[in-house]
Amino acid sequence: MPPQQCVEVALLAPLPAPLSYLVPPGEVPPPPGTRVKVPLGRRSAVGVVIGCGVPPEGVRLKQIQQRLDSTPLFDMAWLEFIRRAAAYYLFPLGLALKTALPAGLASLEKAPGVKHTAIYSASARDGQPGGVVQRRLLEFIRSRQGVAMAAIRQRFASPYAALRRLEELGFITRQQCEISRDPFSGQQIQADTAVTLNHHQAAALRELCRAVDAAAFAPFLLHGVTGSGKTEVYLQTIAATLEQGRQALVLVPEIALTPQLVGRFRARFEQRGARVGVLHSGMSAAERYDMWRAITRDEVDIVIGARSAVFAPLTRLGIIVVDEEHDDSYKQGDGFRYNGRDLALMRAQMAAVPVVLGSATPSLASFQRAADGAVQALLLPQRVSERPLPQVTLVDMKAAAVEHGLAQELRDAIAATLQRDEQCLLLLNRRGFSPYLLCGDCGASYRCPNCAITLTWHKSSGVLRCHYCDYQQCPDDTCPRCGGSAMEPEGMGTEGLAAALAQLYPQARIARMDRDTTSGKGSQQQLFERMSAGAIDILVGTQMIAKGHDFANVTLVGVVDADTTLNFPDFRSAERSFSLLTQVAGRCGRGDKAGQVFIQTYAADHPALQCAASHDYAAFAAQELPLRQLLGYPPCGHLVNVIISGLEQSQVEQAARQLAQQLGGAAEVEILGPAPCPLARLRNRHRMQILLKAATRPPLRRLLNGHHGWKQGLPPTVRIDIDVDPVDMM
Ligand code: ADP
Ligand code: ZN
């Protein structure tokens, strides 16, 4: 008897390495990329076959219980990409696969079913049937090519009997078709054509098309001011890519993934027969699964998605675009802590295709790479049609006449804008009515019992809420500490600002855009539509309003408090502030009318604010990079954050000290800490961090190679999370 064959399986579970399993006798080994159900301990688990195994000597392997897919979910090139990504972020391959695959494939529950619909078409038979309903139905079906059941039901109340009859009589034929649940497919799209590029855009397009033709790895930084027509450059580059029979992958920040943006791509490409697919976290598991299947069936030419779309299983990839590449949301904050932008570079390299990173405010990392010549810079220094960038005024709050948190200058500008029937955007990067309730007698405030943070007051829903763990409680009638009077709101969030504006401008139509008002399905879309239609005069929002939107009638942008971002305890706070302010300023004056911007601050002489006010990226980089160099922070050095957490504070502290000692002494790596994380307690876990810093990657890699052994000697309840290239170190 031939020896039983075995395969290597990556279990979608927290195991450090893949395991080998036997193939049931008489069955062919499932090819790599197929899911299997396998025994793990006394339970069963899902795994993905990643290769042929060699049966180890003297070990009794267990056998695969069930094969779950008839055909592989992905090819070997894709698997190799995930393998490298997982290795880079020191994350178990199986769990990385679990993140990369659409949810629903990763558990033993049945995968979302495939949905079918009936499509009716007119047959060759001439003439007319008898009944009126039948005649009208046939006329309807004859007037188009292939009508889906849903379209028929929209027109005819109960068409079933008539349809059956028409089919029996041979007037029509019916086909069963697999359909995708595509959340964007209901939209009506008007075809559009490419605009004539200005000479900067044309020069960028030329370089990009040359790279597409060369079909080799080539990274670009498309650095174009807000409104300089970057999207138009992407669209025309992608058109050239599709002409070569290749596919495009377009990554955008989650919040910028609006129906407007998707509509722009569909308007350009669908008339030419190209199919645009969308992937993002707001889609249901079934919708994501359908899109995944459509991509693996090669039915999609352009995939647009948020960071996880970097894992889309495209096989004819010709270009990757990463729009707003500076955006922090490309980094996943927990679990598989990958950065979508960096993986886009990795993937482009492996697939030997060009990759375009686009931004008005590139990350200093990308800017530095371009300066070093590792990435080719393409510049769009002007807005399209010679529109000016908006005039920016820094309002010194120390000297301002403030009412409801707004300086006289900004209040007057709002009034004037309303008078002219134009629109305002007001940025306040804090949700809720006020950041906390404060007792005027004893100074007490409500704190989250699970996290080291105060609770935010949400007046409209009448609750105090933790923005980290979502803990909620209602406030008491009196101060719970001194029993004195009720607590009063202190400071202002978006909800509070909207209320204040309603008092100041009773005639204005005011809306709010933050995570609280956009959580419902379609609610963000509605806000956009009302904004575009001019049904909103003042839109108040968190940084959400800064991202990529194009409203022609917005002529005033106000930043209510620039200092929150600036004072964040993080070495990137100046960069973040500069980006945010430049981006939000870029939302105005995009139409024919000029825009103006007011930024309220107590630090008007801060270089990040000064540079943002003069739209001067180069000056900002020239000021900030030497500081990073001095401290060895990215992009002038490399960081890895090691987070030690557990339920007991003393245990966590002791473990962190022990680990820091163990890591100390590594050549060329600086060990900072252990220190409490800025958020020292989160969801009931105490947290300490050790920051590893090195000028180059190799010494860090050498140190990290031993990470499997770090837990040895530490209490099993203490957890270690490793964050390679951290973005947010809270
Ligand atoms: P960005 O992505 O750089 O902010 P967009 O690509 O959204 O800019 O362009 C801003 C607006 O200008 C869009 O409405 C776009 O259709 C228009 N546009 C782009 N390129 C041109 C051009 N060459 N001439 C005229 N209008 C253009
Ligand atoms: Zn909390």
Side-chain angles (χ1 to χ4, degrees):
M1 215 174 85
Q4 217 174 331
Q5 286 176 296
C6 87
V7 289
E8 212 186 352
V9 177
L11 286 128
L12 308 183
L15 295 177
L19 299 174
S20 291
Y21 286 91
L22 291 171
V23 178
E27 287 186 20
V28 283
T34 15
R35 290 173 311 139
V36 287
K37 179 179 167 186
V38 293
L40 178 68
R42 267 178 293 163
R43 287 177 305 159
S44 297
V46 184
V48 178
V49 176
I50 58 169
C52 293
V54 187
E57 301 257 341
V59 182
R60 268 200 44 213
L61 294 183
K62 290 184 177 163
Q63 185 170 299
I64 292 173
Q65 289 168 325
Q66 193 190 344
R67 178 174 168 162
L68 298 173
D69 301 303
S70 52
T71 52
L73 298 168
F74 49 79
D75 63 12
M76 290 307 275
W78 187 89
L79 177 61
E80 194 48 38
F81 168 52
I82 305 300
R83 210 194 278 271
R84 265 208 228 174
Y88 182 83
Y89 290 102
L90 306 166
F91 200 66
L93 177 60
L95 288 183
L97 282 167
K98 188 175 176 177
T99 309
L101 291 170
L105 290 183
S107 74
L108 273 177
E109 280 150 47
K110 220 167 122 270
V114 172
K115 223 169 135 186
H116 288 91
T117 188
I119 305 283
Y120 292 93
S121 317
S123 66
R125 176 171 175 182
D126 287 332
Q128 294 290 342
V132 186
V133 181
Q134 288 175 34
R135 265 210 298 280
R136 295 222 330 265
L137 246 171
L138 182 59
E139 197 182 319
F140 181 66
I141 294 171
R142 277 179 176 164
S143 69
R144 41 208 87 198
Q145 291 173 322
V147 193
M149 191 60 217
I152 296 177
R153 272 212 313 269
Q154 269 176 10
R155 288 280 190 109
F156 300 88
S158 50
Y160 303 99
L163 281 171
R164 246 193 330 269
R165 191 73 193 121
L166 286 172
E167 206 184 337
E168 281 164 16
L169 295 171
F171 283 109
I172 59 171
T173 57
R174 183 175 54 139
Q175 251 186 319
Q176 283 296 111
C177 279
E178 185 174 331
I179 55 164
S180 286
R181 284 151 284 214
D182 177 353
F184 288 103
S185 65
Q187 242 179 28
Q188 278 300 314
I189 298 291
Q190 263 186 358
D192 97 325
T193 46
V195 302
T196 310
L197 300 181
N198 64 35
H199 75 275
H200 291 294
Q201 288 172 307
L205 180 67
R206 246 191 332 271
E207 290 295 314
L208 292 170
C209 285
R210 197 181 305 161
V212 168
D213 285 342
F217 174 59
F220 292 91
L221 174 62
L222 182 62
H223 183 175
V225 299
T226 55
S228 58
K230 294 182 287 295
T231 311
E232 190 59 40
V233 174
Y234 304 148
L235 289 168
Q236 297 197 24
T237 308
I238 290 168
T241 310
L242 299 193
E243 264 165 38
Q244 304 249 338
R246 314 289 296 267
Q247 297 161 312
L249 172 60
V250 182
L251 303 185
V252 297
E254 180 81 48
I255 195 69
L257 190 59
T258 58
Q260 271 87 353
L261 179 92
V262 176
R264 228 168 136 184
F265 277 80
R266 291 183 54 198
R268 186 63 60 86
F269 293 108
E270 290 200 337
Q271 43 165 347
R272 310 180 186 189
R275 197 180 143 188
V276 178
V278 179
L279 278 173
H280 70 95
S281 64
M283 287 160 68
S284 69
E287 287 167 345
R288 288 169 70 85
Y289 172 76
D290 282 359
M291 186 47 68
W292 179 276
R293 298 229 339 162
I295 296 169
T296 53
R297 284 194 307 257
D298 201 8
E299 292 172 359
V300 178
D301 300 291
I302 303 169
V303 172
I304 311 178
R307 72 174 169 247
S308 65
V310 76
F311 302 121
L314 298 163
T315 52
R316 293 180 288 116
L317 197 57
I319 193 163
I320 306 180
V321 171
V322 184
D323 191 26
E324 311 289 359
E325 67 89 26
H326 63 277
D327 201 283
D328 285 352
S329 72
Y330 280 120
K331 173 83 172 176
Q332 175 138 313
D334 52 13
F336 187 14
R337 296 168 183 253
Y338 67 94
N339 188 317
R341 178 208 46 216
D342 296 342
L343 286 189
L345 285 162
M346 180 188 282
R347 186 160 186 193
Q349 189 159 33
M350 294 177 73
V353 299
V355 51
V356 193
L357 310 180
S359 177
T361 54
S363 61
L364 284 174
S366 297
F367 178 77
Q368 182 72 51
R369 273 188 215 134
D372 294 343
V375 167
Q376 185 180 343
L378 305 169
L379 300 179
L380 305 179
Q382 284 155 15
R383 281 191 162 180
V384 294
S385 314
E386 269 132 48
R387 283 176 197 141
L389 283 163
Q391 167 93 42
V392 182
T393 309
L394 295 176
V395 180
D396 184 355
M397 293 299 272
K398 285 184 292 232
V402 181
E403 212 176 289
H404 291 296
L406 301 175
Q408 176 90 52
E409 279 166 280
L410 180 52
R411 291 199 309 274
D412 291 349
I414 295 172
T417 307
L418 296 174
Q419 198 84 66
R420 292 192 307 269
D421 261 338
E422 293 166 4
Q423 293 168 298
C424 314
L425 284 186
L426 292 183
L427 169 74
L428 178 58
N429 214 359
R430 222 168 16 220
R431 293 188 285 143
F433 190 87
S434 69
Y436 45 93
L437 291 181
L438 192 74
C439 172
D441 297 332
C442 77
S445 59
Y446 288 98
R447 303 189 74 83
C448 176
N450 311 317
C451 310
I453 202 99
T454 54
L455 295 175
T456 302
W457 173 229
H458 290 254
K459 190 176 175 186
S460 60
S461 44
V463 291
L464 291 151
R465 202 180 292 158
C466 172
H467 286 181
Y468 285 90
C469 73
D470 220 30
Y471 168 86
Q472 300 189 10
Q473 76 174 70
C474 293
D476 300 313
D477 294 335
T478 56
C479 170
R481 189 159 83 187
C482 70
S485 49
M487 292 187 163
E488 291 295 326
E490 184 69 22
M492 189 163 70
T494 44
E495 194 188 327
L497 177 58
L501 288 165
Q503 282 184 25
L504 287 167
Y505 311 99
Q507 314 297 337
R509 293 161 299 172
I510 299 163
R512 178 158 64 92
M513 180 155 128
D514 55 30
R515 260 200 286 157
D516 298 317
T517 64
T518 55
S519 54
K521 211 175 160 105
S523 46
Q524 193 188 341
Q525 161 72 354
Q526 264 183 18
L527 272 173
F528 278 113
E529 278 168 9
R530 283 171 54 210
M531 195 66 194
S532 297
I536 295 172
D537 299 311
I538 308 177
L539 182 64
V540 173
T542 54
Q543 56 180 334
M544 270 190 182
I545 62 167
K547 299 193 176 177
H549 320 310
D550 198 8
F551 302 120
N553 201 34
V554 170
T555 55
L556 175 68
V557 164
V559 178
V560 177
D561 177 8
D563 304 338
T564 10
T565 324
L566 205 54
N567 294 330
F568 222 63
D570 184 311
F571 73 90
R572 274 198 186 84
S573 59
E575 181 178 348
R576 273 202 194 105
S577 302
F578 174 80
S579 285
L580 179 60
L581 296 176
T582 309
Q583 293 287 349
V584 74
R587 294 313 113 213
C588 80
R590 293 172 76 90
D592 298 330
K593 290 164 274 190
Q596 55 175 167
V597 181
F598 290 90
I599 299 176
Q600 303 194 142
T601 174
Y602 284 93
D605 50 1
H606 194 289
L609 303 193
Q610 296 268 338
C611 294
S614 52
H615 308 284
D616 197 342
Y617 182 91
F620 173 71
Q623 138 84 28
E624 182 71 9
L625 279 168
L627 299 176
R628 303 278 177 94
Q629 184 77 56
L630 199 66
L631 298 167
Y633 277 128
C636 311
H638 303 278
L639 292 181
V640 172
N641 199 20
V642 182
I643 301 142
I644 303 101
S645 66
L647 294 173
E648 248 179 76
Q649 187 170 3
S650 58
Q651 217 172 39
V652 173
E653 282 170 2
Q654 154 106 49
R657 269 198 303 275
Q658 201 175 319
L659 181 59
Q661 210 154 45
Q662 192 184 326
L663 298 178
E668 296 171 68
V669 179
E670 197 181 333
I671 312 278
L672 302 168
C677 294
L679 248 167
R681 201 156 61 92
L682 182 61
R683 296 184 193 92
N684 259 328
R685 298 181 76 84
H686 292 271
R687 306 161 78 235
M688 302 281 289
Q689 63 186 21
I690 302 172
L691 198 57
L692 313 179
K693 190 167 86 173
T696 58
R697 287 197 193 277
L700 265 179
R701 280 284 139 191
R702 280 196 291 278
L703 180 62
L704 292 168
N705 278 340
H707 78 276
H708 286 306
W710 291 359
K711 279 212 70 171
Q712 268 165 30
L714 300 185
T717 50
V718 167
R719 197 171 81 203
I720 297 177
D721 291 297
I722 303 175
D723 191 356
V724 178
D725 306 330
V727 163
D728 181 351
M729 287 186 287
M730 287 302 280

